[in-house]
Amino acid sequence: MKELKGMRELFTEEEGMGTVEVILIIVVLVGLVIIFKDQITDIVEKLFEKITTQTETV
């Protein structure tokens, strides 16, 4: 009975899950950046162009 209780506690223990979740989120975000790299680059370039043109008018 003690072995069964110990196994149950082992499977319900949540210690360390935060690290695994953070790593999975980072992996997903890096994957999305790789997939949409060209679109992100275009958006950032247009944003900086707009910023520079608006600062020239000021």
Side-chain angles (χ1 to χ4, degrees):
M1 283 304 246
K2 288 183 180 181
E3 292 176 10
L4 184 60
K5 186 177 179 182
M7 290 296 286
R8 188 176 299 147
E9 288 177 8
L10 178 67
F11 287 117
T12 59
E13 186 177 321
E14 295 185 13
E15 186 176 318
M17 289 297 291
T19 304
V20 174
E21 291 169 352
V22 169
I23 290 172
L24 288 174
I25 291 170
I26 291 171
V27 167
V28 169
L29 288 175
V30 168
L32 288 173
V33 167
I34 290 171
I35 291 171
F36 297 107
K37 181 180 144 188
D38 294 331
Q39 290 88 347
I40 293 171
T41 304
D42 289 340
I43 291 171
V44 171
E45 286 176 355
K46 288 178 184 177
L47 182 65
F48 280 119
E49 286 176 11
K50 189 173 184 178
I51 289 172
T52 55
T53 57
Q54 287 183 359
T55 56
E56 291 172 359
T57 60
V58 174

